[in-house]
Amino acid sequence: MTLEGTVALVTGAARRVGRAIALELARAGCDVAIHYRRSEGDARELAEEVRALKRKGTVIRADLSEPESWPFIIERTVEKMGRLDVLVNNASEFHAVPLDVNEAFDQVGWERTLRVNLVAPASLSYHARRHLKSHGQGKIINLTDIQAERPTPSNLVYCVSKAALDALTKGLARAFAPDIQVTGVALGIAEFPDGYSESLRQKLINQVPLRRAGTPQEVAQVVRFLVESGDFVTGEIVRLDGGRSCA
């Protein structure tokens, strides 16, 4: 897929992995719509960096837990950018405090996590469909997690949401073919949360055969490959985890 002059929408793009993806796609020739929820300053700074690469950059604020935001984000992107060719569902909800299945059921936590991590990507994909196919070829990339295959009780709702996102990726790949390709990238350690101690970080790295964490830039490069060069790839979920899922 030739990216020069195309438009990519990246959800949760203001910081961390989403930011790296937005910049990498801009370097590849995409104009970029930057979705954010709270990090307005970071989002606007990123838009300036995209423009410095001689690409168009715009910001769109919305809370993905609110259903009315889903069609709004797509239509706002097309309104401001003129078209939509690539959708990267990167935004994710992760509970810092685990939902303990042995205690009271946290219905609010479960519903919000599933809404942001599963229903929002599904709805965004459906609302984007007619725009993605209007120029002959479109791409959807879903950011998922290797914990989808090994759900842990301490992060159960997150793991369940990502397992469902894997299933969504494969189902949409069949439903949207041949005009739109849908793939996923299952992350291991791409960037540690700020609150992780050094000892916990090292413990997790020791579980990785390559003995290091990944980087947001490495994630962005895989996303770029799937968008730019993966024209015969659909329904595939690429594990980017340094071998952790097979250890």
Side-chain angles (χ1 to χ4, degrees):
M1 180 178 182
T2 302
L3 297 186
E4 189 72 26
T6 61
V7 172
L9 165 63
V10 184
T11 66
R15 301 176 64 243
R16 301 170 64 84
V17 170
R19 180 181 185 279
I21 292 171
L23 284 173
E24 186 66 23
L25 292 179
R27 293 187 191 102
C30 292
D31 298 329
V32 184
I34 299 158
H35 160 263
Y36 73 97
R37 179 166 68 100
R38 290 181 299 193
S39 303
E40 180 175 2
D42 292 325
R44 295 195 178 282
E45 182 179 315
L46 174 59
E48 289 300 323
E49 292 186 54
V50 169
R51 294 180 194 121
L53 294 169
K54 308 302 181 185
R55 308 311 319 173
K56 295 178 183 176
T58 191
V59 299
I60 300 171
R61 182 189 178 281
D63 185 342
L64 288 176
S65 71
E66 299 174 352
E68 60 270 21
S69 74
W70 306 330
F72 166 78
I73 292 169
I74 300 301
E75 296 309 318
R76 188 66 168 160
T77 297
V78 175
E79 176 187 323
K80 297 180 79 170
M81 306 294 274
R83 57 189 286 170
L84 178 60
D85 304 274
V86 178
L87 168 62
V88 182
N89 286 309
N90 165 75
S92 188
E93 179 85 3
F94 185 85
H95 278 266
V97 179
L99 299 179
D100 189 343
V101 296
N102 296 312
E103 301 296 337
F105 182 71
D106 184 352
Q107 181 173 336
V108 173
W110 273 80
E111 288 182 349
R112 179 179 175 86
T113 301
L114 289 169
R115 190 177 294 168
V116 173
N117 293 2
L118 172 64
V119 186
S123 182
L124 288 168
S125 298
Y126 273 92
H127 285 292
R129 183 181 186 181
R130 67 183 177 90
H131 301 291
L132 292 171
K133 64 189 291 187
S134 65
H135 296 281
Q137 185 180 25
K139 301 284 181 78
I140 298 174
I141 315 292
N142 294 323
L143 273 291
T144 180
D145 197 296
I146 61 168
Q147 289 191 69
E149 297 181 0
R150 296 183 181 181
T152 57
S154 60
N155 299 313
L156 187 56
V157 62
Y158 172 80
C159 297
V160 168
S161 71
K162 292 300 185 178
L165 185 59
D166 283 356
L168 176 71
T169 300
K170 295 173 183 178
L172 288 183
R174 296 181 65 185
F176 287 3
D179 305 298
I180 300 168
Q181 294 160 258
V182 187
T183 53
V185 183
L187 305 185
I189 305 169
E191 187 170 11
F192 286 111
D194 294 336
Y196 277 28
S197 67
E198 187 58 39
S199 60
L200 177 56
R201 295 181 187 212
Q202 192 56 53
K203 178 183 177 180
L204 294 173
I205 287 173
N206 289 341
Q207 298 173 12
V208 179
L210 294 187
R211 290 296 185 269
R212 69 172 179 86
T215 68
Q217 185 58 36
E218 287 172 318
V219 179
Q221 289 167 351
V222 171
V223 171
R224 176 174 176 171
F225 166 78
L226 291 171
V227 173
E228 187 174 42
S229 302
D231 288 341
F232 198 56
V233 181
T234 197
E236 185 64 33
I237 297 173
V238 180
R239 295 187 186 92
L240 186 64
D241 64 354
R244 187 178 177 188
S245 59
C246 65

